[in-house]
């Protein structure tokens, strides 16, 4: 009995249950994370190449179930051949399918982008509307796509809940919601509207570069002290560095034609479709 008691006493004491985070503390931590990410990614931007609202709208619809890089490698030929909604709406579907085949699900995407082009032609005078209620009426356009266009083509605040955004805000315990509309509402209540668009870029940039789904680079994460999920990934700094992606790891980013601020910060443009990616410049 004494031995059993001694063995029992040798066990480490149980940790006290963590005190629930107050609403005020959550808001402060969330906003501090955003400020920290703004310093890490001052060049954060939409990672789809576009020159006008129509191109951004089409590219965003095409980005479903593929990478922004693949879309950026594919859209130059599409927009060169069909530069306006009127041109795309009148296209031969088989020709469009062939052009966008590399992005996957090309038949469904062809139907969506040709449908939205026809709607723009017939209902909006060939112009992309800047209002949420109009954008979501277009074929293939949901709230996520609408907010991408509103925030980046028209300067109207919106939260883009893609897979990266949803994953990170749950990992950071900002919300437990999984439905994108509920995530959007929950996170919108933590930040002023003026922060929404850039918040989306900061979180998505971080999710792509450091806070990966399967192997987050915890040991290279600038917001590790604020993250309740620290330790889910590699914590050794040197090993974590090897997990970094895009400019943080010296590799090309998603855009063929990125903003100058991104290039000035050391970002590397993506290679055109079929080209060989430039070698990494560092770990």
């Amino acid at each position: 009995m004494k031995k059993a008691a001694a063995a029992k006493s040798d066990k480490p004491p149980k940790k006290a249950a963590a005190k629930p985070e107050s609403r005020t503390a959550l808001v402060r931590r969330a906003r501090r994370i955003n400020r920290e990410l703004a310093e890490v990614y001052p060049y954060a931007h939409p990672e789809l190449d576009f020159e006008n609202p129509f191109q951004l709208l089409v590219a965003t619809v095409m980005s479903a179930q593929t990478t922004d890089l693949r879309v950026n490698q594919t859209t130059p030929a599409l927009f060169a051949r069909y530069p306006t909604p009127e041109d795309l709406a009148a296209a031969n579907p088989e020709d469009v399918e062939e052009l966008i085949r590399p992005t996957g699900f090309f038949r469904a995407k062809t139907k969506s982008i040709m449908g939205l082009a026809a709607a723009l032609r017939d209902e909006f005078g060939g112009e992309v509307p800047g209002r949420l209620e109009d954008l979501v009426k277009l074929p293939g356009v949901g709230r996520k796509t609408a907010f991408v266009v509103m925030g980046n083509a028209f300067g109207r605040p919106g939260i883009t809940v893609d897979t990266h955004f949803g994953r990170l805000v749950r990992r950071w315990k900002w919300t437990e919601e999984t439905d994108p509309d509920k995530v959007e509402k929950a996170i919108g209540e933590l930040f002023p509207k003026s922060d929404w668009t850039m918040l989306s870029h900061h979180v998505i940039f971080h999710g792509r570069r450091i806070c990966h789904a399967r192997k987050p680079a915890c040991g290279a994460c600038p917001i590790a002290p604020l993250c309740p999920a620290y330790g889910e990934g590699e914590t050794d700094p040197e090993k974590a560095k090897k997990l970094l992606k895009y400019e943080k790891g010296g590799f090309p980013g998603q855009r063929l034609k990125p903003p100058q601020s991104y290039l000035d910060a050391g970002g590397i443009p993506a290679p055109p479709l079929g080209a060989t990616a430039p070698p990494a410049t560092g770990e």
Side-chain angles (χ1 to χ4, degrees), residues 60 63-64 142-149 159-163 184:
T60 305
S63 69
R143 290 177 69 88
K144 184 193 84 169
T145 296
F147 282 133
V148 169
V149 174
I159 294 176
T160 303
V161 184
D162 71 350
T163 55
E184 175 198 321

Side-chain angles (χ1 to χ4, degrees), residues 50-72:
F50 69 99
E51 296 178 357
N52 54 55
F54 173 61
Q55 290 188 0
L56 179 58
L57 177 60
V58 170
T60 305
V61 171
M62 287 174 54
S63 69
Q65 305 297 316
T66 190
T67 63
D68 286 355
L69 170 57
R70 181 61 69 185
V71 174
N72 292 336

Side-chain angles (χ1 to χ4, degrees), residues 161-232:
V161 184
D162 71 350
T163 55
H164 300 286
F165 190 95
R167 171 167 52 81
L168 265 62
V169 298
R170 285 188 291 274
R171 185 172 275 173
W172 295 336
K173 307 298 183 186
W174 289 3
T175 183
E176 294 182 357
E177 299 289 355
T178 56
D179 178 78
D181 290 352
K182 292 180 180 179
V183 171
E184 175 198 321
K185 183 177 185 299
I187 305 308
E189 292 173 351
L190 300 178
F191 295 88
K193 264 191 174 183
S194 57
D195 287 353
W196 287 358
T197 299
M198 288 309 300
L199 168 70
S200 300
H201 291 324
H202 296 153
V203 175
I204 292 168
F205 254 57
H206 192 61
R208 285 176 167 169
R209 285 151 178 77
I210 294 177
C211 196
H212 313 133
R214 295 183 181 178
K215 287 187 177 180
C218 294
C221 182
I223 61 164
L226 300 169
C227 181
Y230 176 78
E232 286 186 9

Side-chain angles (χ1 to χ4, degrees), residues 16-22:
K19 189 176 180 181
E21 187 174 36
S22 70

